[in-house]
Amino acid sequence: MKHCTVCGEVYEMYQFAIYRKNKDGSKNYYARSCRSCQQDTQAVIKKLKAENPPPPPGTPCACCGRIDRLFIDHDHFSHKMRNWICKNCNVGLGYLGDTEESIEKALNYLKRCKTRDSK
């Protein structure tokens, strides 16, 4: 049994996609969300991409300003597009829970742990 991080339901393991296996095949690593939630998310992203064509090459990331390949960023609750951002920013926001509060906590942590040598 496994808990889906999107819908909160508990399902049998077969309801989760295997995204990686150990090299020796002894262990499977499963997705964090169930197949149904993954399909819903993919449908939302497909719709948003159809409605919002990608920006021209060389467009900077809307979050950090870096010139890199851009990915669509969307609100997971309202399913509205936020902007086109680089993979690092997209993954970073996701790991921080996509909330202002979690980003503020991370920023406060960095400020508290600042060393004299850092600028």
Side-chain angles (χ1 to χ4, degrees):
M1 301 294 279
K2 184 172 170 69
H3 175 262
C4 175
T5 59
V6 176
C7 66
E9 297 293 324
V10 177
Y11 297 103
E12 295 288 337
M13 294 303 287
Y14 71 87
Q15 292 291 342
F16 296 85
I18 297 171
Y19 70 89
R20 187 168 65 99
K21 293 183 177 195
N22 269 5
K23 289 181 183 179
D24 63 4
S26 63
K27 183 174 181 183
N28 295 333
Y29 293 88
Y30 294 90
R32 297 180 334 143
S33 58
C34 67
R35 290 179 193 272
S36 176
C37 289
Q38 282 183 333
Q39 289 173 346
D40 292 346
T41 299
Q42 288 171 354
V44 167
I45 291 172
K46 184 177 180 179
K47 178 180 174 260
L48 290 174
K49 282 182 178 179
E51 294 171 351
N52 303 280
T59 302
C61 169
C63 187
C64 71
R66 190 172 83 186
I67 307 285
D68 201 352
R69 182 175 173 209
L70 299 179
F71 297 83
I72 200 160
D73 179 39
H74 72 287
D75 184 293
H76 291 261
F77 299 104
S78 69
H79 301 296
K80 292 183 180 177
M81 180 182 172
R82 290 192 278 230
N83 217 320
W84 290 91
I85 61 176
C86 70
K87 183 176 182 177
N88 287 348
C89 290
N90 202 13
V91 170
L93 290 172
Y95 279 144
L96 288 173
D98 276 337
T99 66
E100 291 179 28
E101 295 80 17
S102 61
I103 293 170
E104 286 173 356
K105 286 179 182 179
L107 179 61
N108 289 333
Y109 166 77
L110 289 174
K111 287 178 180 178
R112 281 193 319 269
C113 297
K114 193 175 192 178
T115 63
R116 292 181 192 195
D117 294 336
S118 57
K119 295 179 181 181

